[in-house]
């Protein structure tokens, strides 16, 4: 039993994400050391102060976070949510949270087991993509992005107009169809260039 617990501790204490277990009374029964990297607070901080996590949640996300926790605790069903926390220095981090209820072998409810991941960089990339898409949709030149599988990943309005397809049609093209279409466009552009030289 001691060996089994020791192995569990080695795995749980060395996870990159913040793993925790909150009892039925709302108190932290376990918190992995990675909570310090994500929140700036230690596992002991969370054990001593059960309300600490709620206070860290961004004011605009508190109601949604509270509803999520109440639902999981009362309905005892798994759930997931994205929310923001505010660190001591005022910086904001985005958190991807998943949790599920914990039961013993007799079916007695033991609380909630959660896993939190810092997804701040991913959210920033998503925001950058939205801004880039907006910018590219408002230029007068055709702009598109083709991924490694030779499929459209992005097309702007002008590209749709020039190619004569809707965005849905272009994004739905398979690699071979896309290659044939681009080859035809390239030939037309080449012919246009030759005509302009004459």
């Amino acid at each position: 039993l001691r060996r089994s617990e020791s192995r569990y501790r080695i795995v749980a204490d060395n996870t990159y994400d913040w793993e925790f277990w909150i009892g039925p009374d709302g108190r932290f029964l376990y918190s992995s050391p990675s909570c310090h990297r994500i929140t700036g607070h230690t596992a002991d901080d969370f054990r001593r102060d059960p309300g600490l996590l709620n206070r860290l949640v961004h004011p605009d996300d508190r109601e949604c976070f509270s509803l999520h926790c109440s639902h999981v605790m009362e309905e005892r069903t798994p759930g997931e949510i994205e929310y923001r926390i505010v660190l001591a220095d005022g910086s904001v981090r985005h958190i991807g949270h998943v949790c599920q209820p914990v039961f013993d072998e007799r079916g007695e409810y033991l609380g909630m087991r959660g896993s939190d991941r810092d997804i701040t960089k991913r959210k920033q990339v998503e925001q950058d993509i939205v801004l880039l898409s907006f910018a590219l949709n408002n230029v007068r030149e055709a702009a598109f992005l083709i991924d490694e599988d030779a499929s459209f990943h992005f097309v702007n309005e002008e590209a749709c107009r020039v190619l004569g397809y809707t965005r849905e049609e272009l994004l739905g093209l398979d690699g071979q169809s896309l290659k044939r279409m681009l080859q035809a466009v390239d030939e037309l552009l080449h012919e246009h260039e030759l005509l302009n030289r004459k």
Side-chain angles (χ1 to χ4, degrees):
L1 185 62
R2 280 196 299 271
R3 247 193 333 267
S4 177
E5 184 178 350
S6 175
R7 287 172 182 163
Y8 166 79
R9 280 282 183 179
I10 289 171
V11 172
D13 285 352
N14 289 280
T15 56
Y16 186 74
D17 295 338
W18 175 22
E19 308 295 334
F20 56 87
W21 175 14
I22 297 176
D25 61 355
R27 302 188 74 84
F28 278 85
L29 300 175
Y30 171 77
S31 183
S32 65
S34 49
C35 64
H36 187 261
R37 177 183 58 79
I38 293 174
T39 70
H41 295 274
T42 67
D44 284 338
D45 292 337
F46 286 99
R47 271 195 294 273
R48 284 193 298 263
D49 184 358
L52 176 58
L53 177 57
N54 289 328
R55 292 197 305 276
L56 284 175
V57 176
H58 191 286
D60 294 343
D61 294 345
R62 279 184 189 151
E63 184 178 357
C64 184
F65 181 77
S66 178
L67 287 171
H68 163 79
C69 291
S70 297
H71 178 75
V72 171
M73 291 286 198
E74 291 169 12
E75 300 296 325
R76 298 179 182 178
T77 56
E80 59 182 282
I81 190 176
E82 290 183 2
Y83 66 95
R84 293 164 293 173
I85 59 172
V86 182
L87 304 190
D89 62 3
S91 62
V92 175
R93 287 192 179 163
H94 291 262
I95 303 297
H97 166 84
V98 294
C99 62
Q100 62 182 26
V102 180
F103 302 92
D104 66 12
E105 63 275 4
R106 296 186 304 275
E108 183 180 346
Y109 178 60
L110 301 178
M112 178 185 77
R113 182 235 184 262
S115 179
D116 281 9
R117 172 172 291 186
D118 184 349
I119 58 170
T120 307
K121 288 182 181 177
R122 192 197 84 195
K123 299 298 283 188
Q124 183 59 55
V125 169
E126 288 174 359
Q127 185 179 7
D128 291 345
I129 289 172
V130 168
L131 292 172
L132 178 61
S133 297
F134 177 79
L136 289 175
N137 269 324
N138 289 281
V139 296
R140 293 183 179 180
E141 289 79 25
F144 50 86
L145 176 64
I146 300 172
D147 63 22
E148 58 202 23
D149 297 323
S151 299
F152 275 116
H153 188 69
F154 169 83
V155 290
N156 71 353
E157 294 294 337
E158 185 63 14
C160 294
R161 189 189 68 75
V162 168
L163 298 173
Y165 290 84
T166 66
R167 178 179 276 113
E168 291 72 25
E169 288 171 334
L170 289 173
L171 294 176
L173 285 175
D174 61 67
Q176 289 302 319
S177 300
L178 175 59
K179 284 178 184 176
R180 285 194 297 272
M181 187 193 68
L182 292 177
Q183 204 168 25
V185 170
D186 189 53
E187 289 170 3
L188 284 171
L189 290 173
H190 182 65
E191 288 175 14
H192 182 68
E193 186 181 345
L194 289 176
L195 286 171
N196 284 339
R197 286 181 185 174
K198 291 180 180 178

